[in-house]
Amino acid sequence: MSPPLDPALLDAARSSAAWPFEEARKVVARLERTGRREALFETGYGPSGLPHIGTFGEVARTTMVRNAFRILTEERIPTRLLAFSDDMDGLRKVPDNVPNREMMAAHLGRPLSRVPDPFSNEHPSFGAANNARLRTFLDRFGFAYEFASATDYYASGRFDATLLRMLAAFDEVMAIILPTLGPERRETYSPFLPLHPRTGIVLQVPTLERDVAGGRIAYRDPDTGEVLWTPVTGGAVKCQWKADWALRWVALGVDYEMAGKDLIDSVKLSSEIARAIGGEPPEGFNYELFLDENGQKISKSKGNGLTIEQWLDYGTPESLALFMYNRPREAKKLHFDVIPRAVDDYLTALERLPGQDAKTRLGNPAWHIHGGEPPLPELVGGSGTSVTFSMLLNLVAVANSEDPAVVWGFIRRYAPGVSPQTHPGLDRLVRHALAFYRDFVRPAKAYRAPTETERAALAELSDALADQEGSTDADALQAIVYDVGRRFFPDTSGKAKSPDGRPGVAQAWFGALYNVLLGEARGPRFGSFAALYGVGETRALIAKALSGELAREHERFLERRAA
């Protein structure tokens, strides 16, 4: 039995402005209105392809709403999350990324659950193979869910009663859909798609007659011209997808389902159909779509997006969950360059969480990412802070090695006793940083020679650091950086202040450190960097930059890469 909820947390949840709580309050109000004693959350999956980053986003976001609902109801109302696979949908085209494409082409039009597995014959069908991949995918991230197959639900009779209601409301459903279709499509449209008794193909044919009392429809066989009758129950038909969505909502009593902005019109039509057959559409909201680095809508067919495997090559699952949490109603660029910021934003959120009051905690993404049970942050060093991804990227850059052991050598010197065993999250981050630096950061670096003023300031910084050899006191080292910068790059606006309250330093000083020493436009807090990298190593880095060797070394790298 779960321990009682913190009263302060419950009180904060009732007024929290975090979007999962705003959504969860809609579900609470719905259940108060309907009297239902269970909340059903649903996500949909089309098994014509592999699970992708959008699949993760929809399940992760729905899980966040489900967890918020759990808090609001003090865990007194049970919840379920149904991952529903539309594996009875007909195979419209053979995917480009599967083997045995000729074999699959012979099964065009048949339900995905009746198309043979093109991969290894390990599964009874193409739909079943992709369903298995979906479940492995969701299990990989620890989602709590129930899996549902459209084929199983149609064939088992789970939808029969609602299919008969759909048949009785045939005219109302047609009146909802037909105005949205072109002239040719109107001639062939029916909410029911019969499965041909001989070929098994999902037919898109008009309904000629209806026998509501007998629960069946008539259609013309496109091959022979013969008029055939088929029941609408028992898996003999499936519904067109907008009608199918409404059917599922009503038959299962779905309380909440979100969808992408591109499905707003479909949600509206399916909601009207749900009402026409005597049900109530679920609560939900429409999230915005992802954009590529050029601001164009991501398309699976174009392949202009970032796959979940690529994200996880360079970033953590938690950083991906944070990307999904932040501003779901705004279009966001989903490309490699968003990963470091997402990783560090997650680390910052997790680090702040223990000291936050209930209201602030419920607005912290880390609370939602971990369902209200976040782990403790992995802190290191005397300052007790996280090693950031940006810090690791710069450390990897100056370490000039792709060996994790080399990076860990610097970390251990900064924080003795810290190891991959004591800090497994940091170890994963080291490996992500090595991969990201190799593929994206190093090729884009742009070192420049220092100006005369910068050269003098860097030389004085090196001399000032000499007395701190062996120090890992990031704050003391940062104070030296400020002292030198204040002499050479004083802030003339009067607005900037140093951490100790003294006059501030112009941003040009920090820009020079990053440009000249790291080849970057931005960088980490320099005192923290020097503490982690080592004071002696930082002084050697300055000497290398002042001699011009850093810039020459990078030029040689670019020449080798272009060859």
Side-chain angles (χ1 to χ4, degrees), residues 50-53 137 140 306-314:
L50 299 177
H52 52 82
I53 206 162
F137 176 86
R140 174 185 184 186
L306 182 65
T307 69
I308 197 162
E309 290 77 14
Q310 288 170 325
W311 184 295
L312 296 179
D313 280 343
Y314 305 110

Side-chain angles (χ1 to χ4, degrees), residues 450-471:
T451 65
E452 288 305 312
T453 301
E454 292 167 350
R455 178 177 292 276
L458 286 167
E460 185 165 319
L461 175 61
S462 180
D463 292 341
L465 289 173
D467 294 336
Q468 299 294 318
E469 184 70 41
S471 172

Side-chain angles (χ1 to χ4, degrees), residues 27-36:
V27 184
V28 171
R30 175 190 179 90
L31 267 62
E32 290 174 348
R33 185 176 67 252
T34 62
R36 279 170 49 84

Side-chain angles (χ1 to χ4, degrees), residues 278-297:
E280 182 176 356
E283 306 299 323
F285 80 102
N286 295 102
Y287 52 83
E288 258 290 1
L289 305 179
F290 300 129
L291 307 175
D292 65 13
E293 74 275 21
N294 298 315
Q296 301 298 310
K297 176 183 170 183

